[in-house]
Each structure stands twice: as C-alpha cells, then as structure tokens.
Amino acid sequence: MATLSAYSSPPWQNSNPNSDLLSTQDEIDSQAHPPFESQSNDSLSSIMPPDPDLNPSPNPNPITNYNTSISSPPQSTSTPPPISLLHLSFNQDFGCFAAGTDHGFRIYNCDPLREIFRRDFDGDGNSGGGGIGVVEMLFRCNILAIVGGGADPQYSPNKVMIWDDHQSRCIGELSFRSEVRSVKLRRDRIIVVLEQKIFVYNFADLKLVHQIETIANPKGLCAVSHGAGSLVLVCPGLQKGQVRVEHYAAKRTKFIMAHDSRIACFSLTQDGQLLATASTKGTLVRVFNAADGTLLQEVRRGADRAEIYSLAFSSTAQWLAVSSDKGTVHVFSLKINPGSPGIDRSQSTDEPNLAVTLPASSLSFFKGVLPKYFSSEWSVAQFHLPEGSQYIVAFGHQKNTVVILGLDGSFYRCQFDPVNGGEMTRLEYHNFLKPPEAI
C-alpha cells in the first residue's frame, strides 16, 4: 500500500505524560479510554460504502461495518480556511484514500471520486491545533489510526490514536518515546513504525506481540500483506540496502540484500508472495519472491538518479506502477506467476543488472558488449505529471487504469494500453481539496 507524508513535527510539550509507565525499549502505554468527546454528530460509519469481506477479530470495541449508502458530507456556507496536505495514503484495497491536513483528516472514495467524510479538529475545544500527519484506514470500516503532525499537531506525534468514528471518539492510545513515522493496520494487527523500531500489536487488546529493530527509517517504510492468509511483514533490515521479511505463520525471518544503496521504497502483493523494491538511486526496481528472496525480475525506471515515491502492484500482480520525483508514472509488465507451486524463475538472471523480460531496449542484442543500461527492461506505459509535487500511485478498479494522488491535491485517473503501451490516456483530473460540489 502506498503512503506519502510531507511533514516535520516540532518538539512536543510533555509528549509522554505517563513516561513512568514506559519501558526502556519504547514500550507503550495503551489506553482504552477516550481522551475526548467529539462535538460532531457526523459518523464515518453512516456514509462509507460497505466492505463485505470485513470480518474483524472479537474486540471489546468492535469494528463496525458500514451498512448504509453514501451521503454527501455536510456543507458550510462560510469560506473554509486554506488547507495544507500533510499525508496521503490509499486504503488496503485502493478503493479509498485518506488525507491528513493541518486542520484534521478527510476520506475520499476513488471511483467515482467523492469526498465522503471529513473531520476538522480546529476550534472543537481541544488543546491541539488540528494537524494530522498520519491517517491509516482499515479497509472501509469506521476504525482509523491517526497521528498528530504539522506545525500545530492535534495530538502528540509520539502517539497513535485509534479513532472509532462510529462512536466519534478515540477508543485507544499507544504512546512512545519517539515520533511515530507510520502506522499499518490489518484486521488482526496494528503495526507502529518508529525511526529505528517497529512494534506489532494485537488489534483486539493492544497487546505487544513483536518488536523489530531496523536501520534508520525516517520515512517509516513498512509493508504488510492483507490477504486472507497469514501475515507477512516487510521492513528495512539492519544493513544498507537490506530488507527484512517476517513470515509469521512459518515463524521465519528472511533477509534480502536488495540493493547496494539504501532502500527508498518497497511494496508487497496482497498475498505477501511478491516484493518490489527500489533504492535511493532510483534507477532500478527489483521484484523478489518474498518467501525465499529469489530475484524474479528487474526493470529500469531511467538512467538518472530519482527519488521513488511509491510502488504498487496490480491486483493480479500482472503490472507494477512506479512514481518518482521526475514527474513520470511508469507501468511495467511482470512476467511472473506468483500463484504457481514454484514461481517461474526462468526469466531470472545471475547478473542482477540485466533485463529479465521484454520489452527491452532495441539494442538488447548487444548485451554483454554495450553497457547494461541498453539491455534493461523499460516500462510499457508512462504518464507525465507537472513536476514539483509528490505523487503516489495505485491501480484503479477499472481495467488497465491507474489512480495518481498528489500532495498538491491533484487526482488523476489514467488508462494504459496493455498491448501498444506508450503515453497513458488521462480519463479525469480533479483537485480533491475543492468543495465537494466542485468535484
């Protein structure tokens, strides 16, 4: 799942009011009581479309399914204050996305694009300033994980607040000694990512079940599987260029030396079988078998260094999308079959910088003579965006489409030709920060 954050939180006053309850290992102080009551009567559960597959674990604060149709969010006659985006992330099935702002957070449906919920915290009587730097959805249910951020955070950036919008309040709180970089949710787990540690909790009782140490991870890189099978978790290892894969059902840890440079981004398929990685160099993307670490395919984004913002697999793992600071989204064809008993490795090579499948450069017949750049596998389709903003990408629910979100509020839906490739066709564009009636 792709996430994007662009905030730097200031030091928080009294960030650990219960610091005497914290261990020397950044242990949490889990609280199941609501720290405040919301003044809004609007409920996310009353307007989100249903998630028929949601079957959460038993919980003292049960996760409630959405069971009514979408209605328009409340509209104000006054001119809203300007909004700055601090965070964007898709939900687990890429059908919705969440936006953290300097005033609160908003939830949007992707197809069709529609703002279906917002909660603005400023002026609601709380001590915080409204800034939300992390928002993580749990599919389409009323449970969210939020973290304060921005210049004037609503909550301490050292805390994860478990928000139940059916009750319009926080039902749990996890406190840490350092700033929370990201949060991942599953139906049975909460994963909290700090600068150099990751904590895994049971969702039902907020009990800590696993703790992982990582190399410095300021972006909060972490990916988890969301299929019906067992939990697979990927995070940076303890060495530069290394990723760690935790297979919880098998109680097995796999380390993969994915790149020579530091890891910049990675993504898992829903079932946790395939892993795509990119380094800070940003020229190559590698696809691995997450179970045994075998390199299955390598594709080239470009020749010059780039910052990779997001990687995304299609639901069938047939395509891989990549967004970067070059203002281009690339779509690559994957020639692997993760569903077979043994993943086909015939496309793989002992030379990790050589192409493994078509399409490749027209000079690929000079392989071994010309630099490896000329034999690299290139993207099937591309879409060019205005430079200067950060974008994340996911595959849409319509066939051969991608959805692109920008921290400038831009929303693009594009379609690619799987046979002829080339420049994608823009199907729609919106600024989702505009009032709902303008979308």
Side-chain angles (χ1 to χ4, degrees):
M1 181 182 62
T3 60
L4 188 67
S5 296
Y7 72 91
S8 178
S9 299
W12 186 265
Q13 297 296 324
N14 191 22
S15 60
N16 293 298
N18 299 307
S19 58
D20 56 319
L21 300 178
L22 301 178
S23 76
T24 58
Q25 299 171 327
D26 293 328
E27 184 61 72
I28 57 138
D29 170 26
S30 301
Q31 301 178 28
H33 64 275
F36 65 89
E37 294 287 343
S38 169
Q39 301 301 311
S40 172
N41 294 322
D42 302 311
S43 173
L44 180 60
S45 59
S46 67
I47 56 178
M48 287 291 285
D51 175 16
D53 298 325
L54 188 61
N55 184 23
S57 304
N59 194 323
N61 302 296
I63 302 170
T64 306
N65 290 356
Y66 299 99
N67 51 22
T68 57
S69 59
I70 299 176
S71 62
S72 299
Q75 299 182 18
S76 173
T77 57
S78 60
T79 302
I83 295 295
S84 295
L85 282 173
L86 306 178
H87 172 90
L88 285 174
S89 62
F90 287 99
N91 75 337
Q92 290 83 352
D93 65 6
F94 306 112
C96 299
F97 66 94
T101 76
D102 56 353
H103 291 85
F105 63 88
R106 303 179 181 187
I107 306 295
Y108 296 84
N109 191 67
C110 287
D111 189 12
L113 174 65
R114 185 176 187 180
E115 180 188 308
I116 52 178
F117 176 80
R118 72 166 67 182
R119 187 166 295 279
D120 292 328
F121 289 115
D122 50 339
D124 65 359
N126 294 298
S127 58
I132 298 296
V134 175
V135 189
E136 180 74 3
M137 300 179 66
L138 181 61
F139 289 89
R140 294 169 181 264
C141 83
N142 49 288
I143 298 294
L144 303 167
I146 56 178
V147 180
D152 196 2
Q154 173 69 15
Y155 307 107
S156 164
N158 294 19
K159 292 183 178 182
V160 177
M161 313 300 293
I162 308 302
W163 178 277
D164 180 355
D165 217 84
H166 184 65
Q167 303 182 50
S168 298
R169 62 187 178 100
C170 285
I171 60 172
E173 178 182 309
L174 303 174
S175 299
F176 303 88
R177 292 187 182 277
S178 59
E179 184 173 327
V180 175
R181 299 299 185 179
S182 68
V183 182
K184 304 297 178 185
L185 296 182
R186 275 175 50 102
R187 291 162 176 152
D188 57 351
R189 295 288 187 271
I190 301 174
I191 297 96
V192 181
V193 185
L194 308 184
E195 177 83 26
Q196 291 185 289
K197 289 186 179 180
I198 293 177
F199 297 96
V200 182
Y201 303 94
N202 279 330
F203 212 135
D205 54 12
L206 299 185
K207 180 181 179 181
L208 180 68
V209 295
H210 195 203
Q211 179 175 318
I212 303 171
E213 292 189 6
T214 70
I215 197 171
N217 184 19
K219 291 184 178 180
L221 299 178
C222 184
V224 295
S225 61
H226 294 287
S230 60
L231 169 61
V232 178
L233 182 150
V234 178
C235 63
L238 288 171
Q239 301 178 39
K240 180 179 68 173
Q242 182 188 70
V243 290
R244 173 174 178 161
V245 186
E246 290 288 338
H247 298 271
Y248 283 92
K251 298 181 180 179
R252 181 168 51 87
T253 303
K254 179 67 181 179
F255 291 93
I256 303 173
M257 286 304 305
H259 300 272
D260 293 331
S261 304
R262 285 182 175 270
I263 300 297
C265 191
F266 49 69
S267 180
L268 266 178
T269 50
Q270 290 278 349
D271 58 11
Q273 292 195 38
L274 297 179
L275 168 67
T277 68
S279 73
T280 51
K281 189 174 180 182
T283 54
L284 297 172
V285 177
R286 290 173 175 149
V287 180
F288 297 90
N289 179 343
D292 61 17
T294 303
L295 176 65
L296 301 175
Q297 190 167 342
E298 180 180 273
V299 297
R300 180 175 288 274
R301 181 213 55 82
D304 51 343
R305 184 179 293 270
E307 181 178 357
I308 303 297
Y309 291 139
S310 69
L311 301 170
F313 287 97
S314 65
S315 60
T316 60
Q318 182 181 2
W319 308 99
L320 178 71
V322 182
S323 66
S324 72
D325 65 348
K326 296 301 181 182
T328 306
V329 170
H330 295 269
V331 172
F332 297 90
S333 175
L334 300 183
K335 306 297 193 298
I336 46 187
N337 180 14
S340 60
I343 298 179
D344 181 10
R345 302 182 184 91
S346 60
Q347 309 267 3
S348 159
T349 174
D350 291 332
E351 298 178 75
N353 287 327
L354 295 182
V356 291
T357 62
L358 294 176
S361 164
S362 61
L363 299 177
S364 59
F365 58 87
F366 281 112
K367 190 187 316 183
V369 179
L370 293 176
K372 294 175 182 177
Y373 167 86
F374 291 102
S375 61
S376 292
E377 178 182 354
W378 298 83
S379 58
V380 171
Q382 310 82 35
F383 185 74
H384 292 85
L385 298 152
E387 292 191 40
S389 185
Q390 299 182 39
Y391 299 95
I392 61 174
V393 63
F395 285 89
H397 289 187
Q398 300 177 29
K399 188 175 182 180
N400 301 328
T401 61
V402 295
V403 173
I404 306 167
L405 307 177
L407 274 176
D408 58 357
S410 57
F411 174 98
Y412 295 87
R413 192 191 315 278
C414 308
Q415 188 169 44
F416 62 93
D417 186 327
V419 177
N420 299 315
E423 186 72 10
M424 295 187 226
T425 301
R426 192 180 88 177
L427 301 179
E428 59 180 300
Y429 165 80
H430 303 283
N431 184 332
F432 60 81
L433 292 179
K434 289 183 178 180
E437 64 272 13
I439 295 181

